[in-house]
Amino acid sequence: MSARIIDCPNCGGQVEFKAGSSLLSVCSYCSSAVARVGDDIGEAEILGQVAPLAEIGSPLSLGVQGQLHSKDFTVVGRLQLNYGAGPWNEWYLAFDDGRWAWLAEAQGRVYVTFEKDLEDLHLENPSLSQNGSLPLFEDWSAGQKFFFGQQTVAVSERRSAKFVSAEGELPFVVPLDSTFSYCDFEGPKGTFGTLDFGDSQEVESVYFGREHEYDSLFDKDVLDSVEASLAAAAVAMNCPNCGAAVQLQAPGESETVTCGTCDALLDCSKGQELFLLSSAAAANSNPLIPLGTVGNYQDKEWTVFGHLIRSVWAYGVRYEWEEYLLRAGRGSYRWLICSDGHWTWSEPVSVADVTTKYKRSNQERPRWVKHKGQSYRHFQSGSATVEALSGEFYWKVKVGDSVKTHDYVAPPNMMSFESSEDQDAQEISWSRGTYLSREEMSAIFSDKLSFPKAPFFNIAPHQPNKYLPLRDKVTKVGLILSALIILIAILVSSVKPSGVIFDATKELRYYEKSDKEAATLATVLTEPFEIKEWTNLRIALVSDVANNWIFLQGALINEDKNEVQYFGLQNQYYFGPGWTEGSRKKSTYIGSVAPGKYRLSLRPEMGKPKPKKRRRSSEEIRYSVELKQGTFIKSHVVVFLFFIWIFPLFVRGLFNRFERKRWSESDYG
């Protein structure tokens, strides 16, 4: 990459154009923005002087070399931009193969993007296009999804920002102090991009790439030396409110810090000087985990950098919780959240990785969301406000800041959505929280801290149901035992001999009980029959009784052992206009009948029939008796199943009570 050098039209100093794609270069002597005219490097014009750069502690500088996908590049320029909450850097990278890209540093993260063809961009809903062209800036919104190439991406931020300063070379001519609009979007697996609208409403260009680690792009020795110099400079920083020394743990990333002496909220985004943002951020909040505490989780060492207290109002009640900002290496941030003694580990997820499902088309918020195959149900919404803060943070934060929130649960996980309440500058983010027990928290901090128990009757939205393991276990055992009982019943009923032994239909006339001769004539004594194996017997009585009753007194006679087993059956059936009562069929069982020769003795009785009006009354009842062996008795199986499922149903009741308590605290309680 050979440099082309011209004289600065303002001061005569040498101005380099190292990259062939560069159209503007900032003179290092007089800070004039020098733009070349057309393709001729010999002609140049001055656009004005750039403002001094804010030293925001980046480990990068002009001339630093790096490598991406085995391709070498050099940092040849820098833009500094600001949307009102502190500046950030956009570094211009020139590759040895002639390509160029942008490296953006924001909130401890690093993104490398290349300019792409606008034809790769396709809307998810084509009706949003304007006569075949892309929507105007005002028609885009945070959360909107579209297709870029083969990927589904989603807008995470929609803002307008200002070009505040620059150094080195730039691939375009940018009017100083001008404002431009943009939409940042995210895709799966760390992909990232920007829709650049320039100073107009139409999309002018699109940049697409992904998130990277500093160590994967630059030599570690370069980063370590810069980190050391930044840390050394930070030691000398003093609070402008009380004069006390302020020590920054991440001087290259933090934008806000609180003074440990006077609780003043300070802006540390402009280098080695602190600026007072608020005379008093808040009284000392006494965090459970002191700032600077180190813990180990997921094979990384995390340091507590900041502490927030946030609150939300719901149905006239104020709820408060704590949030701890943790850092492990440059740009790697996570959150520990404590609410009523319950702890959550929270990490950011891509907006594009979350899909939403609405119960109704006009619903303001999704009822369900899905992330990596897991569905989450909406639990609650609110407006979270910062009440107090201490430590340092990678973004401009102050007491009173407020965001809209939606929480979705699938215990032990939770998906949390946050969005800015400013319609002109929209920004959304998703994070995935994992519930941590007191034991897990103690293990993270090596038992150095004591964490109080959560109130017994207080259940976190995503707290694991303590009865779930037992419910699943006893349910599994119940299903296995139930299947065995049913299988045994089927096997027994199929192996044991079965069939009708005796079946006869008789007529019975009414007789007085004193008429012994008539009673003798009504008695039935069957022929002998043989039962070859142990079995049970079902005796059924069916009759055409009407507004009367019939009683069958029976005896099963074992002729081999001269033993008798008595039984009784009664049918009664009454009816009238629009009503009936009783039954014309009854059964009884005799269990464990031994093999042998048997007879059946049946003696029926009936009630005195009432005379029927307008027709001759009948004093006869037809009845039939059936004797069947090897009958499958379903009620026995039901009784066994009932006793098997008493405990599983009790445990399920405890599980359901736990869930009712959880959801009583939701928006659906």
Side-chain angles (χ1 to χ4, degrees), residues 545-549 572-576 579-583 610:
V545 63
N547 286 321
N548 206 343
W549 57 266
Q572 55 181 358
Y573 186 75
Y574 299 91
F575 60 89
W579 65 275
T580 61
E581 181 181 337
S583 173
K610 296 180 180 180

Side-chain angles (χ1 to χ4, degrees), residues 380-650:
Q380 61 190 5
S381 297
S383 182
T385 303
V386 176
E387 300 290 346
L389 68 160
S390 60
E392 54 191 277
F393 303 89
Y394 57 79
W395 84 103
K396 285 286 196 308
V397 59
K398 61 182 182 299
V399 173
D401 282 354
S402 180
V403 293
K404 294 179 181 178
T405 62
H406 303 306
D407 291 328
Y408 300 81
V409 298
N413 298 319
M414 171 190 287
M415 292 293 293
S416 296
F417 170 87
E418 291 189 2
S419 65
S420 62
E421 297 187 339
D422 186 353
Q423 292 300 316
D424 293 331
Q426 300 178 13
E427 184 176 2
I428 65 173
S429 64
W430 282 97
S431 59
R432 179 178 179 271
T434 302
Y435 187 88
L436 296 177
S437 64
R438 288 177 66 239
E439 293 73 20
E440 290 173 309
M441 286 295 297
S442 296
I444 290 173
F445 294 100
S446 305
D447 296 320
K448 297 176 182 176
L449 302 173
S450 177
F451 298 99
K453 288 185 178 180
F456 179 75
F457 292 103
N458 181 274
I459 297 173
H462 59 311
Q463 180 180 351
N465 192 317
K466 60 183 179 181
Y467 300 106
L468 177 61
L470 182 59
R471 185 204 68 171
D472 291 345
K473 185 176 181 179
V474 297
T475 300
K476 184 178 180 180
V477 172
L479 290 173
I480 293 174
L481 292 178
S482 299
L484 286 175
I485 292 295
I486 294 173
L487 180 61
I488 292 172
I490 294 173
L491 290 175
V492 170
S493 63
S494 62
V495 172
K496 289 291 184 180
S498 62
V500 177
I501 299 175
F502 171 80
D503 187 8
T505 301
K506 301 290 183 180
E507 290 186 354
L508 176 66
R509 294 180 59 83
Y510 174 75
Y511 62 91
E512 298 290 344
K513 289 185 178 181
S514 60
D515 192 345
K516 295 183 179 180
E517 182 180 355
T520 302
L521 292 174
T523 302
V524 175
L525 183 64
T526 68
E527 294 294 326
F529 56 87
E530 185 178 4
I531 296 177
K532 297 182 178 181
E533 296 182 13
W534 285 88
T535 185
N536 67 343
L537 296 177
R538 182 177 72 90
I539 306 169
L541 171 65
V542 181
S543 66
D544 62 356
V545 63
N547 286 321
N548 206 343
W549 57 266
I550 178 173
F551 178 77
L552 184 66
Q553 181 178 332
L556 179 66
I557 306 169
N558 188 329
E559 294 187 333
D560 294 336
K561 298 182 179 181
N562 198 25
E563 296 177 350
V564 179
Q565 289 180 277
Y566 295 98
F567 62 89
L569 284 169
Q570 178 171 314
N571 285 0
Q572 55 181 358
Y573 186 75
Y574 299 91
F575 60 89
W579 65 275
T580 61
E581 181 181 337
S583 173
R584 289 172 170 167
K585 182 177 181 179
K586 288 288 184 179
S587 297
T588 189
Y589 292 87
I590 300 177
S592 300
V593 178
K597 289 185 178 181
Y598 291 84
R599 283 178 183 268
L600 202 62
S601 175
L602 306 171
R603 181 180 176 181
E605 298 177 7
M606 64 178 283
K608 184 176 181 179
K610 296 180 180 180
K612 300 179 181 179
K613 298 179 180 180
R614 299 182 182 179
R615 61 185 178 92
R616 186 171 59 88
S617 61
S618 174
E619 296 186 353
E620 296 181 352
I621 294 177
R622 291 178 61 85
Y623 73 93
S624 63
V625 178
E626 180 187 80
L627 179 64
K628 188 176 182 180
Q629 68 174 338
T631 302
F632 178 70
I633 306 176
K634 298 179 180 178
S635 60
H636 290 180
V637 176
V638 172
V639 171
F640 276 113
L641 293 177
F642 173 76
F643 283 104
I644 287 173
W645 283 99
I646 286 178
F647 186 64
L649 290 175
F650 173 72

Side-chain angles (χ1 to χ4, degrees), residues 84 140 160 177 277 337 365 513 516:
W140 291 84
S160 294
D177 207 32
L277 294 176
I337 302 169
R365 59 174 179 263
K513 289 185 178 181
K516 295 183 179 180

Side-chain angles (χ1 to χ4, degrees), residues 201-214:
Q201 284 284 313
E202 298 181 355
V203 180
E204 295 183 355
S205 55
V206 59
Y207 299 90
F208 187 72
R210 64 182 307 105
E211 183 179 352
H212 294 272
E213 298 287 340
Y214 280 101

Side-chain angles (χ1 to χ4, degrees), residues 98-258:
R99 295 182 304 154
W100 62 275
W102 286 107
L103 185 150
E105 296 176 296
Q107 298 181 346
R109 300 180 183 179
V110 183
Y111 306 93
V112 177
T113 58
F114 295 84
E115 187 172 14
K116 300 292 184 179
D117 197 328
L118 283 173
E119 294 180 357
D120 292 336
L121 193 156
H122 305 282
L123 297 179
E124 190 175 44
N125 184 2
S127 63
L128 296 176
S129 62
Q130 307 287 335
N131 299 323
S133 60
L134 296 174
L136 301 178
F137 174 71
E138 61 186 12
D139 296 323
W140 291 84
S141 60
Q144 180 177 335
K145 292 190 174 183
F146 59 96
F147 299 105
F148 190 82
Q150 301 298 318
Q151 296 189 32
T152 300
V153 297
V155 176
S156 58
E157 183 177 347
R158 171 185 169 273
R159 291 184 184 274
S160 294
K162 183 178 290 188
F163 296 104
V164 293
S165 187
E167 69 171 336
E169 305 173 35
L170 298 176
F172 49 74
V173 177
V174 52
L176 301 179
D177 207 32
S178 61
T179 300
F180 75 105
S181 301
Y182 66 94
C183 287
D184 285 342
F185 59 88
E186 298 177 1
K189 298 181 179 180
T191 53
F192 175 85
T194 299
L195 300 178
D196 188 352
F197 294 83
D199 58 359
S200 67
Q201 284 284 313
E202 298 181 355
V203 180
E204 295 183 355
S205 55
V206 59
Y207 299 90
F208 187 72
R210 64 182 307 105
E211 183 179 352
H212 294 272
E213 298 287 340
Y214 280 101
D215 291 346
S216 67
L217 299 173
F218 302 97
D219 189 282
K220 193 173 185 300
D221 293 337
V222 175
L223 301 179
D224 288 344
S225 63
V226 176
E227 289 271 6
S229 63
L230 290 172
V235 174
M237 300 176 74
N238 295 318
C239 173
N241 187 54
C242 69
V246 177
Q247 173 68 54
L248 291 181
Q249 299 185 68
E253 300 171 30
S254 300
E255 294 194 4
T256 303
V257 65
T258 58

Side-chain angles (χ1 to χ4, degrees), residues 253 289 293-297 300-307 323-329 331-337 343-346 392-394 441 444-445:
E253 300 171 30
I289 309 176
T293 303
V294 178
N296 289 275
Y297 187 65
K300 287 186 177 181
E301 192 174 81
W302 300 88
T303 303
V304 178
F305 262 43
H307 173 246
E323 298 186 4
Y324 295 85
L325 177 62
L326 282 70
R327 178 180 182 266
S332 185
Y333 289 98
R334 296 294 185 269
W335 288 93
L336 264 179
I337 302 169
W343 291 90
T344 302
W345 178 270
S346 181
E392 54 191 277
F393 303 89
Y394 57 79
M441 286 295 297
I444 290 173
F445 294 100

